Amino acid sequence: MDTGKAIGIIVNNPEFADVRSLEGVAPTKNRTVFTIAVPTTAGTAAEATINYVITDVEKKRKFVCVDVNDIPDVAIVDPDMMSSMPKGLTASTGMDALTHAIEGYTTKAAWELADCLNLKAIELIAKNLRGAVQNEDAGREGMALGQFVTGMAFSNVGLGIAHSMAHTLGAVYDTPHGVACAMMLPIVMEYNAECTSEKFKDIAEAMGVDTTGMDQAAYRQAAIDAVRKLSVDVGIPTKLEALREEDLDFLAESAFADACCPGNPRETCVEDLKNLFRKLM
Ligand SMILES: NC(=O)c1ccc[n+]([C@@H]2O[C@H](COP(=O)([O-])OP(=O)(O)OC[C@H]3O[C@@H](n4cnc5c(N)ncnc54)[C@H](O)[C@@H]3O)[C@@H](O)[C@H]2O)c1
Ligand SMILES: [Fe+2]
């Protein structure tokens, strides 16, 4: 879908023939070609979002293009299209959607309308991802809906450094996007917790935790634990074997330059990002 979005933009805006010129907020003049987007995974919500992500294989980086002209005219979100996904792909793409919802709920630009959608999406994903991985109809339906609901929200408010770091891991080690998001999400939640006021209480509750009597430290930990448990339950690894100490400078600098980085609720720096990557080793 992202490749299709880039091609559609370039067809109608040929002055951007080098896709690299579209990185960040792209000043295109014309809408894309008429586009019908049909997701076959329940994760990216690219059928609804303002973004597309392209890999620059020469420079070993993935970059995000942000452009209102690229939103598809029609989205056909049908869980039947997703039913052929194997377990691992269902799990990783579903964790991508959870990362959108949690990063979108806590990002700097978050506001009430997007919050409603992101919280509902967290609830839908927490309730349905395990069932989807078992290829149950209700689980597939809940995930098709959940990923789309957060797509409508995060597309308007942005994300955070779990995505910056996931883009970098995808470009350097070819780590599937959802696996990279799932591995980074609890690590980044721990790092961001102090800048999220009471939002982790809402996240914990949306994930089914009873937070009655919990103080701030306890509900923040409960939200992180619930994310870790879901990730482990659906079979996502917690360590990245490919990661090398000598790659950390490039990884951290690349993640710091990523378009999702400024939206992170906690101000970050290259050194902090290096330490966060190190937690995957
Ligand atoms: N546009 C956005 O807003 C946005 C948001 C998040 C991620 N992304 C980007 O999306 C990309 C990842 O997309 P994805 O997670 O959908 O995976 P994908 O499109 O890369 O597909 C992964 C693999 O699964 C296969 N596959 C897809 N659907 C299948 C099905 N129903 N049955 C069996 N196999 C199937 C594909 O052929 C491919 O080999 C990354 O580049 C990521 O950065 C974009
Ligand atoms: Fe994503």
Side-chain angles (χ1 to χ4, degrees):
M1 282 194 290
D2 282 2
T3 307
K5 284 166 87 170
I7 292 170
I9 283 290
I10 292 171
V11 166
N12 279 356
N13 298 273
E15 66 275 28
F16 293 98
D18 181 349
V19 70
R20 283 173 283 217
S21 68
L22 289 158
E23 180 171 0
V25 180
T28 57
K29 295 191 184 66
N30 303 315
R31 256 196 68 70
T32 182
V33 299
F34 182 81
T35 309
I36 302 174
V38 187
T40 63
T41 63
T44 71
E47 73 278 9
T49 70
I50 200 175
N51 315 303
Y52 50 95
V53 187
I54 300 294
T55 303
D56 181 339
V57 284
E58 278 167 19
K59 295 196 177 134
K60 285 202 171 175
R61 58 187 294 265
K62 284 175 86 165
F63 59 90
V64 183
C65 306
V66 185
D67 187 353
V68 282
N69 282 328
D70 72 27
I71 302 174
D73 299 270
V74 179
I76 298 178
V77 184
D78 179 351
D80 281 354
M81 297 301 295
M82 301 151 184
S83 60
S84 55
M85 275 195 289
K87 282 190 164 60
L89 185 64
T90 305
S92 62
T93 53
M95 289 302 292
D96 179 24
L98 182 68
T99 311
H100 296 155
I102 291 180
E103 290 212 286
Y105 190 60
T106 50
T107 193
K108 274 190 197 137
W111 69 296
E112 285 74 359
L113 184 56
D115 287 355
C116 296
L117 295 171
N118 278 323
L119 259 192
K120 187 67 193 175
I122 294 168
E123 185 192 314
L124 281 164
I125 295 163
K127 213 178 266 173
N128 289 293
L129 182 56
R130 293 177 181 86
V133 169
Q134 298 309 321
N135 205 23
E136 291 164 9
D137 288 348
R140 289 280 185 214
E141 269 179 41
M143 284 308 299
L145 183 60
Q147 64 89 32
F148 179 71
V149 168
T150 178
M152 306 275 275
F154 84 80
S155 180
N156 282 288
V157 295
L159 295 167
I161 58 171
H163 264 77
S164 310
M165 299 173 81
H167 291 149
T168 306
L169 293 173
V172 175
Y173 304 117
D174 218 11
T175 313
H177 178 68
V179 173
C181 282
M183 289 192 303
M184 290 318 315
L185 180 60
I187 293 171
V188 167
M189 285 175 77
E190 267 165 4
Y191 175 73
N192 284 342
E194 65 186 57
C195 301
T196 55
S197 61
E198 290 172 10
K199 287 204 154 180
F200 279 24
K201 185 167 192 275
D202 305 332
I203 293 172
E205 285 170 5
M207 296 196 72
V209 178
D210 179 2
T211 62
T212 314
M214 286 188 184
D215 63 10
Q216 190 171 68
Y219 66 64
R220 284 179 173 170
Q221 193 55 49
I224 297 162
D225 290 346
V227 167
R228 278 220 166 89
K229 177 157 189 346
L230 179 58
S231 192
V232 167
D233 286 355
V234 297
I236 305 271
T238 53
K239 301 286 171 201
L240 185 62
E241 303 271 310
L243 198 64
R244 295 281 167 272
E245 183 70 30
E246 58 266 33
D247 295 341
L248 287 178
D249 284 329
F250 177 80
L251 291 170
E253 277 160 26
S254 181
F256 190 68
D258 183 86
C260 294
C261 192
N264 197 63
R266 178 169 166 183
E267 291 299 329
T268 190
C269 60
V270 172
E271 204 48 42
D272 282 4
L273 291 172
K274 246 166 101 168
N275 288 331
L276 295 177
F277 275 124
R278 218 174 252 123
K279 292 182 191 244
L280 293 179
M281 294 171 89

